[in-house]
RNA sequence: GGUGGGGUUCCCGAGUGGCUAAAGGGGGCAGACUGUAAAUCUGCUGGUUUUACCUUCGGUGGUUCGAAUCCACCCCCCACCA
């Protein structure tokens, strides 16, 4: 399958400036293309993954990814798709964040031996004179057209500063520079970037008389219309294990909705499309195997085969395996793992607490739930118990005054659960 | 710069002196049902040493036995005019 058909079949293509020529270009030439990232945080989250997976596919097909870090533009904040202006970052923040970004990206695309280029737009904006910019670039933009942009129109309702208004001009200029200096001929980005991206295509045409192309990805939403990549709780699922432990990362994918599995497998795994269609068409409860494969594959890409295996076994041990006999065919390496219900116990999320806490009268159960990180406050833990959602060693707790003592530990360990899915082992230190 | 309208708990949004930790909705959490799914129903949704106390209604100060609610000043947002 050609790379273009692959992208299309997997649902990556939402809008294109020139479908026919993009296809021809991607199929017949080695193309330098760029995707921009805002270094606004020190970790990527699942919401960033769609363009990353696209870059991965394109790179595997022989194309050259240029990762643009928006060091300059991050200091402005893109108003597209945002309700309100974003806080402005310092230069040091941006530099540190850019480094984290590069490191996390390296799990998905090859960055060694110049297989991918990293650029920072601060490099061409920092010495730019305002007058020059206005004359050379500003003159190419029509305010009338900019005002007609959907993203701008929306912000006009609530207010838009001149600073933010300039964002699309800066992004357009990025494309111009990358085309001029690195021969970049395509830009990919989120659907919300369309206006900015098209502005770039036009600017390149006006300034360089070059034809360049752009494609946007669909915006992923969950069933509630929220941006994809948040937990139910609204917290982001990060690629940084400090923020999102691997087990939780795995569980995020494992808990996707039935109706989403096919889409998610297409976007976030490397499995062939026809296999995905077959897996996603499985009847309940076998559909759960598709979710296991999704979780395993997505975790494998982000955290490596070993970590993915641990999470698979830990989750399977706790909740059961969807296809323990391995009857459902798949090209995923998950099939090689023996579905052993006890093997993953050690890899459940755990916290160590000093044994002295449990000596004598023991530790108050409410405090234990809070200290273990399962509840944000004692009040929340109290409510959890009152609502019947708290478990100690798989027994439902009702006594708010319970003290956890050393004799409740088996092999130096007790298991806490907040609800059916949030598990934490407490290990004596 | 002028005039008018606003800033309430995660979000939207009621509340115009005590009955207000603050209606209602959304979101979230938990329970039941299930397949670690969806839908549905139920409970909960500021903190603590929990029949009580503490913190919260843009900020500061004041009036009052008592303030999200009244007064003064300040900050910010929106609309129209300039």
């Amino acid at each position: 399958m050609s790379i273009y058909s692959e992208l299309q079949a997997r649902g990556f293509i939402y809008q294109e400036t020139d479908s026919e020529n993009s296809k021809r270009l991607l199929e017949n030439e080695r193309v330098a293309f760029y995707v921009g990232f805002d270094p606004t945080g020190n970790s990527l989250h699942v919401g960033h993954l769609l363009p990353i997976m696209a870059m991965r596919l394109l790179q595997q097909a022989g194309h050259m990814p240029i990762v643009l870090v928006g060091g300059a533009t991050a200091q402005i904040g893109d108003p597209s798709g945002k309700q309100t202006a974003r806080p402005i970052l310092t230069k040091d923040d941006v530099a540190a964040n850019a480094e984290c970004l590069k490191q996390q990206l390296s799990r998905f695309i090859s960055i060694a031996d110049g297989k991918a280029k990293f650029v920072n737009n601060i490099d061409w904006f920092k010495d730019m004179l305002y007058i020059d910019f206005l004359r050379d670039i500003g003159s190419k933009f029509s305010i009338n057209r900019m005002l007609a942009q959907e993203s701008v129109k929306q912000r006009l309702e609530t207010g838009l500063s001149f600073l933010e208004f300039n964002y699309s001009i800066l992004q357009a200029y990025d494309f111009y520079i990358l085309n001029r200096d690195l021969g970049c001929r395509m830009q990919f980005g989120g659907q919300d970037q369309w206006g900015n991206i098209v502005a770039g295509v036009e600017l390149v045409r006006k300034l360089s008389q070059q034809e360049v192309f752009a494609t946007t990805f669909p915006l992923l939403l969950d069933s509630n219309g929220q941006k994809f990549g948040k937990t139910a709780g609204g917290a982001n699922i990060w690629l940084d294990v400090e923020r999102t432990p691997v087990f939780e990362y795995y569980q995020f994918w494992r808990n996707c909705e039935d109706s989403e599995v096919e889409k998610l497998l297409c976007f976030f795994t490397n499995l062939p499309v026809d296999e995905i269609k077959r897996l996603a068409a499985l009847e309940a409860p076998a559909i759960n195997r598709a979710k296991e494969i999704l979780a395993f594959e997505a975790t494998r890409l982000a955290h490596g085969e070993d970590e993915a295996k641990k999470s698979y076994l830990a989750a399977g041990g706790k909740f059961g395996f969807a296809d323990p006999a391995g009857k459902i065919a798949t090209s995923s390496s998950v099939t090689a793992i023996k579905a052993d219900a006890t093997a993953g116990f050690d890899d459940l999320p755990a916290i160590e607490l000093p044994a002295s806490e449990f000596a004598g009268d023991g530790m108050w159960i409410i405090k234990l739930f809070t200290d273990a990180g399962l509840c944000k406050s004692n009040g929340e833990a109290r409510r959890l118990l009152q609502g019947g959602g708290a478990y100690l060693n798989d027994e439902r707790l009702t006594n708010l005054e319970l003290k956890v003592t050393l004799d409740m530990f088996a092999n130096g360990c007790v298991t806490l659960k907040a609800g059916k899915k949030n598990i934490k082992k407490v290990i004596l230190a």
Side-chain angles (χ1 to χ4, degrees):
Chain A
M1 197 186 295
S2 80
I3 176 63
Y4 184 87
S5 314
E6 179 89 32
L7 286 174
Q8 199 169 40
R10 287 182 176 272
F12 280 100
I13 297 173
Y14 178 74
Q15 248 179 322
E16 298 169 283
T17 52
D18 185 341
S19 172
E20 241 173 75
N21 282 313
S22 297
K23 182 173 177 1
R24 191 174 307 145
L25 196 60
L26 287 171
E27 288 180 352
N28 300 310
E29 297 187 45
R30 290 166 64 90
V31 183
F33 66 96
Y34 103 86
V35 179
F37 292 88
D38 268 344
T40 43
N42 63 9
S43 174
L44 292 168
H45 54 75
V46 174
H48 294 113
L49 229 42
L50 190 74
I52 295 174
M53 291 303 293
M55 286 179 97
R56 182 183 162 87
L57 285 172
L58 284 159
Q59 187 186 47
Q60 285 169 350
H63 301 297
M64 162 65 80
I66 299 170
V67 177
L68 179 125
V69 172
T73 35
Q75 290 174 40
I76 295 177
D78 179 10
S80 307
K82 305 284 191 317
Q83 298 301 304
T84 47
R86 285 200 300 221
I88 291 170
L89 294 170
T90 68
K91 291 189 173 79
D92 287 349
D93 287 340
V94 170
N97 291 343
E99 194 46 45
C100 294
L101 172 84
K102 186 171 179 177
Q103 211 160 48
Q104 292 187 340
L105 271 177
S106 69
R107 303 180 199 162
F108 295 88
I109 61 174
S110 320
I111 62 170
D113 310 323
K115 283 181 189 147
K117 288 198 176 86
F118 285 79
V119 294
N120 186 336
N121 63 6
I122 194 73
D123 291 340
W124 51 85
F125 280 123
K126 66 172 188 250
D127 295 325
M128 175 159 269
L129 291 175
Y130 191 55
I131 295 296
D132 292 344
F133 183 72
L134 282 181
R135 188 193 53 213
D136 299 339
I137 314 302
S139 59
K140 307 294 186 220
F141 284 84
S142 148
I143 291 282
N144 311 48
R145 284 205 53 183
M146 290 173 74
L147 288 175
Q149 263 184 42
E150 193 49 42
S151 57
V152 173
K153 267 200 238 163
Q154 275 171 22
R155 279 298 298 278
L156 247 27
E157 316 256 323
T158 53
L160 179 68
S161 70
F162 184 66
L163 179 80
E164 294 175 280
F165 185 59
N166 275 270
Y167 191 94
S168 74
I169 299 180
L170 297 183
Q171 188 169 334
Y173 188 70
D174 287 341
F175 202 174
Y176 163 71
I177 291 291
L178 292 177
N179 172 258
R180 189 191 69 186
D181 297 349
L182 298 174
C184 175
R185 283 192 285 171
M186 288 194 79
Q187 178 176 184
F188 291 83
Q191 174 189 330
D192 52 345
Q193 301 286 306
W194 180 249
N196 303 344
I197 292 175
V198 170
V201 171
E202 287 182 15
L203 185 65
V204 174
R205 180 161 48 222
K206 284 177 185 166
L207 291 178
S208 307
Q209 289 78 48
Q210 290 278 316
E211 191 164 19
V212 291
F213 308 97
T215 297
T216 55
F217 307 123
L219 188 63
L220 268 188
L221 298 173
D222 65 20
S223 56
N224 296 316
Q226 301 293 308
K227 258 193 175 178
F228 176 79
K230 309 260 184 189
T231 50
N236 280 316
I237 298 293
W238 302 94
L239 296 187
D240 176 9
V241 292
E242 294 297 316
R243 299 208 213 179
T244 304
V246 181
F247 181 75
E248 216 175 288
Y249 189 84
Y250 177 95
Q251 286 289 285
F252 167 76
W253 298 102
R254 176 61 186 84
N255 284 317
C256 79
E257 295 171 21
D258 287 10
S259 56
E260 306 277 292
V261 197
E262 178 173 339
K263 199 167 80 183
L264 298 181
L265 280 165
C266 280
F267 285 138
F268 302 110
T269 74
N270 286 341
L271 302 185
V273 176
D274 41 340
E275 177 180 338
I276 291 171
K277 291 212 183 299
R278 181 169 50 77
L279 289 171
L282 290 167
E283 293 292 323
I287 182 81
N288 282 321
R289 183 58 170 170
K291 295 188 191 180
E292 276 182 2
I293 293 169
L294 167 66
F296 177 80
E297 287 295 316
T299 307
R300 189 174 67 83
L301 285 174
H303 299 296
E305 182 102 18
D306 283 355
E307 291 296 320
K309 180 177 173 181
K310 284 182 192 170
S311 293
Y312 169 72
L313 287 171
K318 204 66 208 170
F319 302 108
F321 293 95
D323 180 30
K327 286 182 181 148
I328 296 165
T330 171
S331 59
S332 167
S333 55
V334 75
T335 43
I337 305 170
K338 191 168 172 294
D340 180 344
T342 57
F345 184 73
D346 290 342
D347 293 308
L348 287 172
I351 184 170
E352 288 193 6
L353 292 174
S356 57
E357 296 267 10
F358 302 94
D361 286 347
M363 187 178 194
W364 187 28
I365 187 66
I366 299 294
K367 189 167 181 306
L368 181 57
F369 267 87
T370 310
D371 284 4
L374 287 169
C375 295
K376 284 198 277 297
S377 66
N378 287 358
E380 192 177 303
R382 192 184 294 269
R383 277 180 242 119
L384 183 71
L385 252 81
Q386 284 167 342
Y391 302 80
L392 174 70
N393 291 332
D394 283 322
E395 273 184 56
R396 178 173 287 175
L397 295 166
T398 49
N399 179 7
L400 291 175
E401 303 305 324
L402 182 74
K403 302 283 191 188
V404 178
T405 50
L406 287 171
D407 56 303
M408 295 176 184
F409 284 77
N411 301 321
C413 173
V414 289
T415 311
L416 299 178
K417 283 205 292 178
K420 299 273 191 278
K421 293 186 211 166
N422 308 305
I423 303 171
K424 202 96 172 197
K425 282 192 309 179
V426 178
I427 298 168
L428 292 178

